[in-house]
Amino acid sequence: MNKQTDFELFAQGKEANFVCKEESREENADSNYEDDPEEEHEDFVAEIRRLLNSDDESEKSKNQQKEAISAGKRLELPVLPLRKTVIFPEAIVPLVVGRKKSKAAVEEAIGTEEKLLVGVTVKSEEDDGESDASTSDVYQVGILINIKKFLRSEDNIQLIVQGIERVRIIEWVQEEPFLKATVEVLPLPHVREPEQVEALKRNINDLIRQAFDLIPNMPPELRMNILSTADPLRLSYFLGSVLDFGKEQEQKMLEAETLDDLLMIVHAAIAREIEILQIRMKIASDTQSEIEKSQREYFLRQQLKQIKKELGEDEESIEKAEVGELRKKLETADLPEEVRLEAERELKRMEKLPNISPDYHVIRTYLEYILELPWNKLTEDKLDLEETRRILDEDHYGLEDVKERILEFLAVVKLRPDSKSPILCFVGPPGVGKTSLGMSIARALGRKFERISLGGMRDEAELRGHRRTYVGSMPGRIIQALRKCGVKNPVLILDEIDKLGMDFRGDPASALLEILDPAQNHSFRDNYINLPFDLSKVFFIATANQLSPIPMPLRDRMEIIQLSGYSEAEKLNIAKKYLIPRQIKENGLSVEQIEITEDAIRFVISSYTREAGVRQLERTIAKLVRKIAFRVARGEVSEKQIIDIQKAKELLGSPVFYSEEARKELPVGVATGMAWTEAGGEILFVEAALLPGGNGLMLTGHLGEVMKESAQAARSYLWSHAKDFGIDPELIKTNGVHLHVPAGAIPKDGPSAGVTMATALASIYTGKKVRSDTAMTGEITLSGQVLPIGGVKEKVLAAHRAGIKRVILPKKNESELENIPEDVRRGLEFVFVERIDDVIKAAFQENITQKDIQQESGKTDGVFAEVPSEFVAEK
Amino acid sequence: MKEGNIFFKFAVPKEVRFAARSWDPAADIYDASDGWLIKIELPGISRDDFEISIKDKKLYLSGVRRDKTSCREGLVPRQVEITYSRFEKTFFFPDEIEESKVEYQDGFLYIYVKRH
């Protein structure tokens, strides 16, 4: 340790080893100045040099402390009140000094060799402007500071100072012209409990690390600086100067006597800072994510808009394009003036609406509909009568009057092109070709064809449309059909007009009244379109199975054309010409592979079908052909298959129908009648039986009122004219009579069985048999008249089919024989009658009461004479 | 940077004050055959104002640079940038050191240190 002592002595300049002499330094200084002699400033330079070299030490320099500054040392120094900050040891702080007293204090300090002064923080919160702080305003503990840089400017002094030591003010020395005090250097804060210091130190380190994560833009140098500071004291003072803990906290830190206390304050302050930071971060991130979400959405929407724009699909341009397209269509469309005005008005409305508005789409659909309707579009009619005839014949066999009516219409159109189209109504049993006739008419005329099925329709709006105010409204079926076919003069089939429904919702038949009235339908107003549309060019064809369900006013508007059932001969022809070739083709065979003989067809017609039309016949033929096709496909047969009756039976199984056939002999009390059914005609038998001891008339067989009444009329007539027929009135009086019509499950009504029942009664009362080859029909009156009846053709065909040879018909129906095919007429003997007497005469095998009858009726012999000779079949 | 070191620093014999740390003059150290040369940038320091002591492998240098200019009557400071401050430096050596010589020339302080 000798060495140390030596050095200390030497350091105090008492050792010869120290070569740096006062003289040498001064010599150097002298030579420096002499190197740069300036003649004119000689005096000035000399003066300054004199000042520098002057030995007389001023008051200031005398006061300077030679010894090291250490705890407990007292110094007398100028005091600088600090307004806003607390300066910690080692901290380098810029200051601007503006107040008079402070400036004076700084001036004093800068004039000393060591440039020291004391900074003390002013207690008061508010910055009270220009007034200088007094001794009572400041804390007792301050800091010894060294001025590192000093720069005087106009109004103030800018300083950079560094804190050195904590000091306590012991005594104020002066207040004017600047504050000056005696201060005592305070010892460094000591460690009271090392463990506590250690714990606090670690906690603070953790907190600092946490804080780093929360401060996003922390300069890395600062981070390094903090982390590398191992000394908790220095770290605390450093944190105190870089972080803003508040003046009071910082003053407390400065005043802390122990490291424990200091660290406690720092810990609490940092923890609080971190909490604030965390809250700030949370607020920031919350608002950030909120903003980000909405910004992202906005951004995506903008992108979408841009993409759509690029594709020409953005809403605005779509809207514009739609309006533009509609306008273009409107300009080019051939529209009546009224329609054009309305459409333009709607288009203008649509332009003003945004396309999200529901009305926009309603109007758009409406306009599109209007523009698609064939307001002025027509197809040219083919006016070649011969060609039309050929087409009609090609499609349908027979139906002469229909074909004639079509040709008549065409002839009229040819002469007067603006004539109104007719409104026809085909009435006939199913399967006779009403609908297909409509199609065929369209084809023959060269018109478009459209079909509306009215079956089951109950709502008037179906025909006439819904008003546009309703959601999902649309035009009626008529307008829809016209739009579909695209012309205003199509053939429009109103199918099953007799099956229109009617309920509280409305009556479609009434709507049809307007549509089908040629006087009104040139300005038909659909509820949806709400503009008059000309239907007068439409060729309406209604079809119905029965006339009776069609309301009178509607029936009145149409030209009724009856399509009666086909006769066997007609069916045979239809089968040969249409059905068999079609089925052969549909089943993939050729005429070389299959042939059905005429007999077989007849057999099929009579034994497997019972209908007025030919649907069942076609199905049955299809079945035959199919079975052959099956065999051909399996390779079982190679040669041409000829189907005769035997083969047909084999393929179809046993016959399905046994039609009522004329019986060889009828018992007493039975007569053959003829009836009309929807499936054509049939023969039926009326049976009568005496009920001895009974009275009155018993009627069975599911008879309707009309039929019952005509049965009573027949009995009454016979009773009243009993003598004329050789009947004992007592027999009628004392015996009841029972009339029965077999096939009791089938309801029967109508007056046309009157003559048959009269004949049956006459037979039972007289005990004579009725001719079995004779069938009859006709309504009777109580006075004995025979009135005409309907369905003559069907009835006659049925009688012919059943093998009847003679037919008794009312005289008034004679003219209808024309409708009956030639071959049928030839096979039958017709008897036309005016009175019951004539019927009785013709019906019985023997001329039982011929004499009486002759007398009574006053007629000459031979009812047969009345039968036109051409109607008498030649066998 | 072990946390334990902190206390060791506080425990050095001579109390290291903040006052001494506020200025750190730059120093170069050269290895020589039998010792070291320390060269410290210390212009304007007077002989009375610094102190050197040696203990085992350490050399302490402490002192103060004073401003002799500003305390002259008739010269008023306008700008002061030169640091006038207390300073202290400690130098560590691999071996024990002894006996030396101190020279001052052209603003540099030269300290010769001999290996023990």
Side-chain angles (χ1 to χ4, degrees):
Chain A
M1 293 299 124
N2 285 340
K3 297 294 164 198
Q4 193 186 357
T5 325
D6 288 349
F7 263 89
E8 272 168 3
L9 289 171
F10 141 79
Q12 283 158 12
K14 288 170 186 166
E15 195 62 45
N17 283 4
F18 190 68
V19 285
C20 178
K21 297 254 163 55
E22 190 84 16
E23 289 83 356
S24 67
R25 193 191 72 189
E26 277 170 11
E27 273 168 21
N28 283 343
D30 285 349
S31 64
N32 279 342
Y33 288 115
E34 280 163 5
D35 283 349
D36 189 19
E38 294 188 30
E39 296 302 321
E40 57 268 52
H41 296 127
E42 192 84 28
D43 296 345
F44 167 68
V45 172
E47 171 61 12
I48 292 176
R49 198 178 291 167
R50 193 189 59 76
L51 288 175
L52 285 170
N53 293 333
S54 66
D55 262 349
D56 56 308
E57 298 214 331
S58 64
E59 288 291 311
K60 299 171 207 164
S61 56
K62 272 180 192 160
N63 274 343
Q64 289 313 307
Q65 315 299 319
K66 305 272 177 189
E67 314 88 54
I69 296 164
S70 56
K73 189 177 176 68
R74 295 206 173 187
L75 299 161
E76 194 180 304
L77 288 168
V79 174
L80 178 67
L82 301 168
R83 292 273 159 189
K84 288 170 189 164
T85 58
V86 174
I87 299 172
F88 292 97
E90 283 207 305
I92 294 171
V93 180
L95 293 174
V96 176
V97 180
R99 287 188 180 79
K100 210 181 97 220
K101 270 176 146 180
S102 303
K103 271 158 98 174
V106 171
E107 293 285 1
E108 171 71 11
I110 202 72
T112 63
E113 287 182 350
E114 283 203 66
K115 309 197 188 307
L116 294 173
L117 76 167
V118 172
V120 282
T121 304
V122 178
K123 283 177 193 165
S124 66
E125 280 292 320
E126 70 274 9
D127 188 354
D128 50 354
E130 288 301 305
S131 71
D132 287 309
S134 70
T135 53
S136 57
D137 293 337
V138 298
Y139 289 110
Q140 287 303 296
V141 174
I143 180 101
L144 180 67
I145 52 180
N146 170 239
I147 300 168
K148 299 209 94 168
K149 281 191 184 172
F150 171 94
L151 186 65
R152 195 196 303 277
S153 65
E154 294 270 312
D155 313 323
N156 52 33
I157 297 168
Q158 291 166 30
L159 295 176
I160 292 177
V161 300
Q162 185 170 30
I164 302 170
E165 290 289 348
R166 302 187 309 134
V167 293
R168 182 187 301 281
I169 294 168
I170 303 295
E171 186 187 9
W172 293 99
V173 176
Q174 65 174 58
E175 289 198 36
E176 296 295 336
F178 54 85
L179 295 175
K180 194 170 184 179
T182 304
V183 297
E184 188 186 279
V185 176
L186 292 171
L188 290 176
H190 61 274
V191 176
R192 196 172 57 219
E193 288 174 38
E195 289 82 11
Q196 192 180 348
V197 168
E198 176 65 14
L200 283 166
K201 157 82 178 153
R202 287 185 192 181
N203 275 0
I204 288 170
N205 268 352
D206 285 352
L207 287 176
I208 287 168
R209 268 172 242 274
Q210 257 185 55
F212 284 164
D213 293 339
L214 294 172
I215 305 168
N217 295 322
M218 183 97 169
E221 311 87 54
L222 188 57
R223 187 180 290 230
M224 277 304 296
N225 206 338
I226 293 171
L227 286 176
S228 63
T229 308
D231 179 352
L233 184 65
R234 296 178 67 192
L235 181 63
S236 298
Y237 287 155
F238 179 71
L239 288 172
S241 51
V242 296
L243 297 176
D244 184 16
F245 294 155
K247 197 162 78 179
E248 273 159 43
Q249 285 297 314
E250 287 176 1
Q251 181 65 32
K252 272 187 195 162
M253 281 169 68
L254 192 67
E255 288 177 12
E257 287 297 320
T258 63
L259 192 57
D260 309 50
D261 291 346
L262 178 62
L263 289 179
M264 281 284 220
I265 297 166
V266 171
H267 186 272
I270 293 183
R272 190 168 155 271
E273 279 296 301
I274 284 175
E275 222 162 272
I276 291 168
L277 266 176
Q278 277 171 337
I279 291 166
R280 276 180 55 190
M281 288 289 283
K282 191 171 180 303
I283 293 168
S285 77
D286 281 2
T287 46
Q288 182 74 11
S289 70
E290 197 59 37
I291 289 166
E292 265 174 15
K293 201 178 158 195
S294 65
Q295 274 211 331
R296 194 177 126 85
E297 208 163 278
Y298 173 79
F299 182 67
L300 285 174
R301 281 197 192 289
Q302 288 299 315
Q303 268 192 329
L304 189 66
K305 217 171 173 182
Q306 203 59 38
I307 290 167
K308 278 191 168 175
K309 208 169 180 178
E310 286 290 316
L311 294 171
E313 280 176 8
D314 64 324
E315 277 160 27
E316 222 166 89
S317 72
I318 287 172
E319 205 173 302
K320 279 211 184 99
E322 275 174 355
V323 171
E325 205 175 306
L326 283 172
R327 187 176 297 286
K328 216 159 114 193
K329 272 190 195 165
L330 184 61
E331 274 158 16
T332 54
D334 180 12
L335 300 175
E337 202 44 42
E338 191 183 348
V339 176
R340 181 177 298 282
L341 283 174
E342 176 66 21
E344 271 165 11
R345 193 159 54 234
E346 290 290 334
L347 191 61
K348 273 188 198 127
R349 263 187 70 203
M350 180 174 156
E351 262 179 321
K352 284 179 203 141
L353 290 169
N355 74 345
I356 43 160
S357 151
D359 265 3
Y360 177 92
H361 295 283
V362 168
I363 296 177
R364 204 187 90 184
T365 324
Y366 174 71
L367 281 174
E368 279 173 356
Y369 223 106
I370 281 193
L371 290 171
E372 277 176 34
L373 275 181
W375 297 95
N376 285 323
K377 252 196 233 163
L378 289 160
T379 47
E380 196 90 355
D381 280 338
K382 280 191 220 160
L383 294 173
D384 184 343
L385 296 183
E386 286 309 307
E387 174 69 6
T388 308
R389 174 86 217 189
R390 195 190 60 73
I391 291 170
L392 290 174
D393 280 344
E394 195 179 292
D395 290 352
H396 289 87
Y397 179 84
L399 305 174
E400 288 308 319
D401 45 354
V402 182
K403 289 175 184 169
E404 223 156 90
R405 182 65 191 83
I406 306 294
L407 291 170
E408 281 164 20
F409 163 70
L410 269 186
V412 173
V413 170
K414 204 169 184 177
L415 294 174
R416 184 166 170 253
D418 60 340
S419 63
K420 290 194 165 74
S421 288
I423 298 169
L424 303 182
C425 180
F426 296 153
V427 180
V432 292
K434 298 182 294 294
T435 310
S436 72
L437 190 59
M439 280 195 257
S440 170
I441 290 169
R443 192 159 83 92
L445 293 175
R447 289 195 177 191
K448 298 261 181 152
F449 172 82
E450 203 55 55
R451 182 174 161 273
I452 300 170
S453 180
L454 300 177
M457 190 185 284
R458 321 175 266 205
D459 191 353
E460 173 243 4
E462 286 253 342
L463 277 173
R464 231 203 301 242
H466 300 269
R467 281 193 23 218
R468 202 143 45 91
T469 43
Y470 295 113
V471 173
S473 61
M474 52 183 199
R477 302 280 287 272
I478 304 280
I479 291 294
Q480 283 181 28
L482 286 168
R483 177 204 182 194
K484 205 168 147 196
C485 60
V487 289
K488 65 186 281 196
N489 65 338
V491 170
L492 205 56
I493 299 256
L494 303 171
D495 235 350
E496 320 284 7
I497 200 170
D498 56 333
K499 292 175 188 63
L500 273 174
M502 188 202 292
D503 64 9
F504 60 91
R505 271 168 286 194
D507 179 7
S510 307
L512 274 178
L513 289 182
E514 185 199 348
I515 294 163
L516 297 182
D517 187 347
Q520 296 176 34
N521 71 3
H522 58 83
S523 62
F524 167 69
R525 225 171 239 275
D526 186 277
N527 284 330
Y528 180 82
I529 301 292
N530 203 20
L531 288 166
F533 191 91
D534 182 9
L535 294 179
S536 65
K537 293 282 184 281
V538 179
F539 194 145
F540 283 107
I541 296 174
T543 73
N545 291 127
Q546 282 169 291
L547 214 43
S548 53
I550 304 174
M552 231 356 255
L554 190 53
R555 212 187 302 175
D556 187 46
R557 280 168 168 72
M558 303 183 289
E559 202 172 314
I560 309 287
I561 294 175
Q562 292 273 359
L563 298 177
S564 41
Y566 294 110
S567 69
E568 196 182 295
E570 281 169 328
K571 284 185 186 172
L572 179 67
N573 274 311
I574 291 168
K576 281 205 291 195
K577 275 179 81 173
Y578 307 95
L579 306 181
I580 294 172
R582 186 156 74 208
Q583 286 306 322
I584 287 175
K585 198 175 155 206
E586 277 184 18
N587 286 290
L589 294 176
S590 66
V591 280
E592 282 85 43
Q593 288 167 299
I594 182 169
E595 189 191 320
I596 304 174
T597 64
E598 220 166 273
D599 282 345
I601 298 169
R602 263 188 237 277
F603 172 71
V604 167
I605 292 168
S606 61
S607 300
Y608 295 93
T609 69
R610 172 159 300 175
E611 56 175 355
V614 291
R615 285 213 186 97
Q616 205 175 356
L617 178 59
E618 179 162 20
R619 275 199 299 275
T620 315
I621 288 169
K623 194 172 170 188
L624 270 180
V625 176
R626 209 161 52 233
K627 285 188 185 292
I628 297 301
F630 177 68
R631 291 183 187 186
V632 170
R634 281 179 56 168
E636 286 174 18
V637 289
S638 51
E639 73 279 16
K640 185 171 183 173
Q641 294 292 300
I642 294 167
I643 297 169
D644 50 13
I645 295 179
Q646 199 54 42
K647 188 97 177 179
K649 221 180 213 170
E650 187 187 307
L651 291 170
L652 296 173
S654 54
V656 182
F657 296 109
Y658 295 95
S659 52
E660 289 280 13
E661 277 179 28
R663 303 181 192 172
K664 274 196 181 133
E665 202 182 325
L666 293 173
V668 171
V670 178
T672 311
M674 293 181 287
W676 179 92
T677 65
E678 274 192 37
E682 281 206 62
I683 61 165
L684 53 83
F685 298 95
V686 175
E687 299 171 343
L690 278 179
L691 309 172
N695 63 9
L697 178 65
M698 187 190 280
L699 293 163
T700 53
H702 214 311
L703 307 180
E705 276 308 305
V706 179
M707 206 161 175
K708 282 178 183 167
E709 282 169 7
S710 76
Q712 274 159 357
R715 178 169 177 258
S716 300
Y717 180 80
L718 287 176
W719 202 344
S720 63
H721 295 85
K723 282 201 177 130
D724 298 346
F725 299 104
I727 301 165
D728 178 8
E730 276 304 305
L731 186 71
I732 300 175
K733 196 184 165 189
T734 53
N735 290 288
V737 69
H738 182 177
L739 264 182
H740 176 69
V741 185
I746 302 162
K748 307 166 191 79
D749 201 9
S752 68
V755 294
T756 321
M757 289 189 285
T759 308
L761 284 172
S763 168
I764 199 73
Y765 287 138
T766 57
K768 288 171 182 159
K769 291 177 182 168
V770 180
R771 280 177 68 159
S772 63
D773 63 345
T774 303
M776 62 202 77
T777 185
E779 183 178 351
I780 54 165
T781 68
L782 200 54
S783 61
Q785 297 281 326
V786 174
L787 299 181
I789 41 77
V792 172
K793 187 187 173 190
E794 282 83 0
K795 288 174 178 173
V796 171
L797 289 176
H800 181 249
R801 205 160 47 221
I804 298 290
K805 297 288 177 292
R806 290 170 81 234
V807 173
I808 301 172
L809 291 172
K811 176 90 173 157
K812 296 243 170 65
N813 284 110
E814 190 175 345
S815 59
E816 287 177 45
L817 282 191
E818 289 169 33
N819 295 337
I820 294 164
E822 185 77 26
D823 59 323
V824 176
R825 273 198 318 227
R826 253 193 230 130
L828 287 172
E829 181 185 329
F830 292 91
V831 180
F832 296 98
V833 295
E834 282 179 278
R835 298 190 56 79
I836 295 178
D837 311 45
D838 305 337
V839 178
I840 306 291
K841 211 190 290 169
F844 285 96
Q845 285 178 328
E846 312 129 53
N847 277 346
I848 26 143
T849 55
Q850 205 172 2
K851 231 173 212 171
D852 302 333
I853 291 165
Q854 267 176 345
Q855 281 168 356
E856 194 59 33
S857 64
K859 282 197 177 157
T860 51
D861 237 341
V863 240
F864 303 110
E866 284 182 22
V867 180
S869 59
E870 68 262 33
F871 289 143
V872 179
E874 290 166 20
K875 284 261 163 174
Chain B
M1 194 167 295
K2 283 274 161 85
E3 280 152 24
N5 292 350
I6 316 159
F7 305 103
F8 170 73
K9 277 197 179 168
F10 281 112
V12 290
K14 199 159 188 173
E15 191 183 51
V16 178
R17 301 291 308 205
F18 288 115
R21 286 194 203 133
S22 60
W23 180 37
D24 186 17
D28 297 345
I29 300 176
Y30 299 91
D31 289 349
S33 57
D34 202 24
W36 296 270
L37 170 64
I38 306 170
K39 180 182 175 187
I40 306 153
E41 182 190 34
L42 268 178
I45 192 156
S46 71
R47 196 183 66 180
D48 300 341
D49 289 339
F50 65 87
E51 203 176 278
I52 295 168
S53 64
I54 285 173
K55 192 189 177 196
D56 301 334
K57 296 178 182 179
K58 291 172 211 149
L59 183 146
Y60 298 104
L61 170 67
S62 64
V64 55
R65 178 158 72 179
R66 300 175 194 276
D67 181 13
K68 306 275 190 199
T69 318
S70 66
C71 47
R72 311 282 171 183
E73 287 292 338
L75 291 176
V76 181
R78 167 163 292 273
Q79 174 178 318
V80 178
E81 281 190 343
I82 297 166
T83 305
Y84 304 100
S85 173
R86 306 250 159 189
F87 66 90
E88 187 186 285
K89 275 183 96 76
T90 307
F91 301 95
F92 298 86
F93 296 94
D95 300 317
E96 284 192 13
I97 46 172
E98 61 167 352
E99 216 185 306
S100 68
K101 179 181 173 170
V102 176
E103 280 176 5
Y104 187 79
Q105 197 178 346
D106 297 338
F108 289 107
L109 181 69
Y110 296 89
I111 305 173
Y112 299 86
V113 182
K114 202 185 168 214
R115 201 187 311 259
H116 184 60

